[in-house]
Every structure is written in structure tokens, then in C-alpha cells.
Amino acid sequence: MIGILEFVTDPWNHVFMRRAFLVAAMSGVVCGVIGCYVVLRGMAFIGDTVAHAVFPGVSIAFVFQFNLVLGGAVAGLLTAVLVAVFSQNRRLKEDTVIGVLFAAAFGLGIVILSSTAGYSGSLESFLFGQILGISDGDVANVLVVGCVLLAVTLAMSGRLVAVSLDRETARAAGLPVFWLDLALYAMVTVAIVISLQAVGNILVLALLITPAACARLLTDRLGVMMVLAPVIGAAASFLGLYLSFAFNLAAGGLIVLVATAFFLLSWLFAPRHGLLRRARHRSDEVRRAQAEEGGVVEAT
């Protein structure tokens, strides 16, 4: 019992862990909410592209010592606009344009970072996160930007859902689909940027997609999904940090692994769409078919 109590309370005795918990919780909540739209749209590849697109912006901000969130947001939004523009050419499919810009953005970020002193350490912190080394200013930035992003998302939720579920119907209803696409890309960009310090550039897609995918398996109701996803994201972030502190392992990687464990549990045990539930349903259908067949034989 004492061991469990120490496991729960010890991390809170350290200032760096309290900062990490705040940033991890906000990252999990924001990515959970924004990730719902990404999952509904089936645009995980876009999320991956934006995750890598912010890299050159963050690198430039790091080199010239200005706000990392601003640098990453500008780069991500610029890439989103370029995807939308280049995709207008009917000779190129959207995934082709995404693949080109995906590689170009990441390559540009590495080149920019390689021009600075301490290149290897900087690259590692960007790629894999450095949540235990964040400052009070970083915490404040993440909390303020995260709250603003959640407020904007709530205000636009109805239109974003309409475009996510049926783009043609939304366009026929007069909704500005193109601009709503750009708005969603911008939201994904900001969510990714504020989460970089938690899990890093390589792993941030998991925090964006996995909690929302869990929620998608667990419920058919959109409102419930919008609540479950941020709860799962925050829970995965908290538990990952606890395990990181207890076993002295990489925080970002453990956050992602915990989120993945939640996904596997949802995939297996979801009440309507889980593997076990579907297997039980198929078994019941087989038994009913056999019973009906037996009844027919007896009648003849």
C-alpha cells in the first residue's frame, strides 16, 4: 500500500514533474479533441504531414530565438495552404502532394537545425520530446494557446463536423468547405506544436490519432466521442509520465505506448465494435442459423 501511495504522490514533489503534468494534460486534451475531426475525416496522413511540416518552422524559431509555437504554426499553416493549392491540379492526387511536401519539410528542418551549434542534442529534443526540461514560460504558453484553441474549436464544431461527415452536402448547404479545411489544418498545426515538447515530432501523431481512435471504437455518438478522446489522451499522458518517473524511461515514448495500450483494450473490449463482441455476435448468429436449420429438418 505504501508503495502505491509513493508511486502516486512522489512525482508531485518535484517542480519539473508538476510542469510536465500540466503540459502533458493540456497536450492530451487538445490532441484528443482535434484528433476527433482528423479521425472522422480519415486524414491521418494529413496529420502526419503537418507534424513534419512544423519542423522547419520550429527549427527556424530555435535558431533565431523566437517563439517556437509561432514558428511551427506558421510553417504548418503554410504547408497546409500549399497542399490545398497544389491539389487543385487534376494530374496530381492529394496524397502525392502530401508525400512531396512531407519529405521536403522534414528535410528543410534538419538542414536548418544542422547549421546550429549543439545540432545533435537539439535534433533529439525536437524528434523525441523533452517534457521534463520545460520552463514555466513554456507551461504558460501551452496552457494559454491550448485554451484558446479549445474555445475556437468549440465555436466552429458544428461546421467542422458537417464538413467531416459529408463534404458534398456541406458544400451544397453553402458552407465554405475550402476555408474550413484550412481552419482545421491550422488547428491540427497548433495542437501538434504545443505537444512537441511532450512527445516530440516523430511521436506526436500518435497523441493526435490514438485517443480519438479509441473513442471511435467505444461509442457511436459524436458528443460522447468528443468527451472520451481528450479524457483518454490526458490519462495516457499522466500514466506515461508516472511510469517514466518510476522506471527512468523516456516520457514521450511511454505516453505513446500507454495510449496504444488503451487502443488495444478498446479494440478488444469495446461494447459494440470490439473484437470479442463481434466474435460473440457471429457465434450467436451461427447458433441461431443452426437452430433454424434444425427446426426446418424436424418440420420436414
Side-chain angles (χ1 to χ4, degrees), residues 27 125 199 252 266 282:
S27 298
S125 65
V199 293
S266 302
R282 285 196 297 268

Side-chain angles (χ1 to χ4, degrees), residues 218-250:
L218 292 172
T219 181
D220 292 326
R221 298 176 59 187
L222 184 59
V224 177
M225 179 182 175
M226 291 290 183
V227 174
L228 280 177
V231 169
I232 293 171
S237 299
F238 261 68
L239 185 53
L241 278 177
Y242 270 113
L243 293 174
S244 172
F245 182 84
F247 299 105
N248 193 29
L249 296 172

Side-chain angles (χ1 to χ4, degrees), residues 57-300:
V58 171
S59 302
I60 292 172
F62 175 79
V63 171
F64 292 100
Q65 297 298 305
F66 64 90
N67 191 278
L68 300 183
V69 173
L70 179 61
V74 170
L77 184 56
L78 177 60
T79 303
V81 172
L82 290 175
V83 169
V85 170
F86 283 116
S87 296
Q88 301 304 309
N89 188 324
R90 297 182 180 274
R91 294 285 295 174
L92 295 174
K93 292 186 178 180
E94 188 180 44
D95 59 349
T96 303
V97 176
I98 289 171
V100 171
L101 296 177
F102 169 97
F106 201 66
L108 178 60
I110 292 176
V111 169
I112 293 171
L113 261 189
S114 66
S115 67
T116 67
Y119 157 64
S120 297
S122 302
L123 180 61
E124 184 177 352
S125 65
F126 283 128
L127 293 182
F128 306 111
Q130 198 175 29
I131 193 170
L132 301 183
I134 59 178
S135 65
D136 289 333
D138 294 328
V139 174
N141 286 337
V142 169
L143 293 179
V144 170
V145 174
C147 288
V148 171
L149 179 58
L150 290 174
V152 171
T153 304
L154 180 63
M156 299 182 64
S157 180
R159 285 168 289 177
L160 290 173
V161 170
V163 173
S164 299
L165 294 179
D166 193 333
R167 294 171 61 80
E168 296 307 318
T169 301
R171 186 176 285 110
L175 291 178
V177 173
F178 177 79
W179 295 106
L180 287 171
D181 282 346
L182 288 183
L184 181 57
Y185 294 159
M187 293 174 183
V188 171
T189 299
V190 176
I192 286 170
V193 170
I194 67 174
S195 305
L196 284 179
Q197 289 170 304
V199 293
N201 189 267
I202 289 179
L203 301 176
V204 71
L205 183 67
L207 197 59
L208 184 71
I209 300 299
T210 308
C214 293
R216 182 71 168 160
L217 288 171
L218 292 172
T219 181
D220 292 326
R221 298 176 59 187
L222 184 59
V224 177
M225 179 182 175
M226 291 290 183
V227 174
L228 280 177
V231 169
I232 293 171
S237 299
F238 261 68
L239 185 53
L241 278 177
Y242 270 113
L243 293 174
S244 172
F245 182 84
F247 299 105
N248 193 29
L249 296 172
L254 282 171
I255 290 172
V256 170
L257 288 178
V258 171
T260 305
F262 286 163
F263 173 78
L264 292 175
L265 290 173
S266 302
W267 181 70
L268 285 171
F269 300 110
R272 292 191 62 183
H273 304 291
L275 178 65
L276 297 183
R277 177 67 183 86
R278 287 186 285 118
R280 191 179 304 117
H281 179 69
R282 285 196 297 268
S283 177
D284 291 341
E285 288 183 341
V286 170
R287 282 198 295 270
R288 281 197 297 269
Q290 291 174 341
E292 291 174 359
E293 183 179 348
V296 171
V297 172
E298 290 179 4
T300 58

Side-chain angles (χ1 to χ4, degrees), residues 55 84 117:
F55 190 45

Side-chain angles (χ1 to χ4, degrees), residues 26-44:
M26 180 55 75
S27 298
V29 169
V30 168
C31 284
V33 171
I34 302 300
C36 288
Y37 301 104
V38 175
V39 169
L40 287 175
R41 285 279 300 274
M43 52 182 282

